[in-house]
Amino acid sequence: MASSTFHLCFLTIFVSLLIPAICHGHSQKPKKHVPLFVFGDSLFDPGNNIYLNSSHKEASAFWPYGETFFKHPTGRLSDGRLVPDFIAEFMKLPLLPPYLQPGAHRFTDGANFASGGAGVLADTHPGTISLPLQLSYFKNVVKQLKQKLGNAKTEKLLMGAVYLFSIGGNDYGVFQMNYPNASLSHQREYVGMVIQNLTSVLEEVHQIGGRKIAFQNAGPFGCLPLTRAGTRNGACAEEPSAMAKLHNTALANVLKKLQTRLTGFKYSIFDYYNSLGERINNPSKYGFKEGKRACCGSGAYRESNCGGQGGTTKFEVCSIPGDYVWFDGGHTTERANRQLAELLWNGTPNCTAPINLKQLFEHM
């Protein structure tokens, strides 16, 4: 009996080595209270842009955004919840409201500073909350926490907190619009500048007390419905995705260096690029019916005009958003967001490394 059990175990291990690793994860709720501070762009914006006096309010203030979960538009560029909303749930936190939302905030739970259109660089889409401005808002939160809790308790809270980032895509979008024929050396130089500015922000967060940094890396920009609509035969555009790959390699390298240089610095990178790419290319494998066209919008791939600017432009909406990977031309559905959040939270090392967010969260 013992011999057959051994052979069965050996066979299982041997077969598992022959099967290509599949990125998977599942959510398990923790028991301790840890704040979540979110920095980013439209992928993580819970509605901050609604409170901006600029053109970047975008379509997210109009139906059908928010239709699946909230039943009304919240400023999120999806039919429902975003990745940080699910991460907050996994951390047993309430949904973090937009930092700019008027009224009282419970900053002991954290805060979400993300802004649609924002970049790492201050001059990427002026009028949005750029990463440097998000950092200044975070500093304001720290001041308020110190006034409420005192220095010692605030320091402890900040050291235990998780800092979640998803930003950079807009910087590269602007670059490619301005320099469509940029050489590889010019692209590398620009990526280096973005990473350098990002590094400065991370160093400041660490100086203030942050230790646990989590990143969703840059996605396959060339495969967005919006990008795909501009290519021959609707193929993915090569250049945008190539820049994303350059960014992701540089990001992984700099975080590894920061861990050796900054006391107590721990990090996690979710491979958003390949995890989303898998769902775009093999939708049925993940329970979707469509991975290329968006649920909401107009055009060949429903790549634009979702929300119709409040009724001024015609657009189409699918009947079941959960059948689609994409909700609009550049943003995923709630169902896709849940799957991606679970991989970020509890994914295997081939998709979330060197540790996943749950392990980062539990690290003392």
Side-chain angles (χ1 to χ4, degrees):
M1 182 71 180
S3 176
S4 62
T5 303
F6 170 79
H7 284 107
L8 181 62
C9 290
F10 178 80
L11 183 62
T12 303
I13 293 166
F14 179 72
V15 170
S16 71
L17 291 173
L18 297 178
I19 299 170
I22 297 172
C23 187
H24 66 274
H26 60 280
S27 60
Q28 292 178 351
K29 291 188 176 181
K31 294 176 182 178
K32 61 181 181 178
H33 177 271
V34 169
L36 175 65
F37 293 100
V38 181
F39 303 80
D41 52 28
S42 60
L43 299 181
F44 282 7
D45 182 0
N48 277 308
N49 279 23
I50 286 179
Y51 304 101
L52 296 177
N53 295 318
S54 74
S55 60
H56 291 282
K57 289 184 179 179
E58 298 169 346
S60 57
F62 305 113
W63 181 89
Y65 287 102
E67 65 169 344
T68 298
F69 182 77
F70 301 100
K71 309 302 180 187
H72 64 90
T74 63
R76 290 169 174 82
L77 283 158
S78 181
D79 59 305
R81 288 164 289 184
L82 306 178
V83 166
D85 297 320
F86 289 111
I87 295 300
E89 180 188 318
F90 302 156
M91 290 174 64
K92 292 190 81 173
L93 295 169
L95 290 186
L96 297 176
Y99 171 76
L100 294 183
Q101 181 176 296
H105 288 255
R106 205 169 109 181
F107 291 131
T108 48
D109 289 330
N112 189 326
F113 311 105
S115 169
V120 172
L121 306 178
D123 56 357
T124 294
H125 294 156
T128 63
I129 313 168
S130 66
L131 187 58
L133 187 52
Q134 291 181 35
L135 177 65
S136 71
Y137 287 162
F138 171 60
K139 290 176 180 177
N140 290 340
V141 167
V142 172
K143 283 180 186 175
Q144 291 183 53
L145 284 170
K146 285 181 176 178
Q147 288 169 2
K148 182 181 178 181
L149 305 175
N151 288 355
K153 284 186 178 178
T154 300
E155 187 178 320
K156 186 178 179 182
L157 191 83
L158 295 174
M159 286 187 78
V162 168
Y163 302 81
L164 178 59
F165 290 77
S166 174
I167 197 159
N170 293 307
D171 299 286
Y172 300 119
V174 168
F175 174 82
Q176 289 182 318
M177 195 165 55
N178 293 335
Y179 306 101
N181 301 310
S183 64
L184 181 58
S185 62
H186 190 190
Q187 291 177 27
R188 288 184 186 279
E189 185 183 339
Y190 186 79
V191 169
M193 183 173 66
V194 170
I195 292 293
Q196 187 177 5
N197 280 269
L198 182 56
T199 303
S200 298
V201 169
L202 295 178
E203 287 172 338
E204 281 211 57
V205 168
H206 179 269
Q207 192 174 359
I208 293 165
R211 295 294 182 267
K212 304 175 185 181
I213 309 293
F215 265 90
Q216 174 173 289
N217 73 12
F221 304 138
C223 297
L224 274 57
L226 186 62
T227 318
R228 197 185 287 274
T231 66
R232 185 179 295 177
N233 301 324
C236 294
E238 289 182 17
E239 283 298 315
S241 292
M243 281 207 81
K245 285 181 179 179
L246 287 175
H247 171 88
N248 292 342
T249 300
L251 176 66
N253 289 338
V254 80
L255 289 175
K256 194 173 182 180
K257 287 175 184 174
L258 286 175
Q259 182 163 266
T260 62
R261 190 159 56 83
L262 302 179
T263 306
F265 185 95
K266 294 286 179 186
Y267 72 94
S268 174
I269 306 177
F270 167 49
D271 188 1
Y272 178 66
Y273 184 99
N274 285 308
S275 298
L276 179 55
E278 261 285 302
R279 284 153 181 78
I280 293 168
N281 296 325
N282 306 293
S284 60
K285 186 176 173 182
Y286 301 95
F288 301 101
K289 292 181 179 177
E290 177 59 61
K292 295 178 181 178
R293 293 176 75 226
C295 164
C296 173
S298 60
Y301 293 89
R302 290 186 185 151
E303 70 276 1
S304 57
N305 297 322
C306 181
Q309 303 304 313
T312 61
T313 310
K314 288 183 179 180
F315 66 98
E316 298 176 320
V317 188
C318 69
S319 56
I320 307 174
D323 284 347
Y324 289 70
V325 173
W326 298 102
F327 185 64
D328 67 11
H331 305 91
T332 39
T333 57
E334 177 178 276
R335 188 177 184 196
N337 289 336
R338 176 182 279 280
Q339 290 185 11
L340 295 166
E342 286 178 350
L343 295 176
L344 169 58
W345 175 248
N346 206 24
T348 47
N350 57 312
C351 73
T352 312
I355 57 175
N356 60 40
L357 185 48
K358 183 173 184 284
Q359 293 166 325
L360 185 72
F361 163 90
E362 290 171 344
H363 184 81
M364 296 302 291

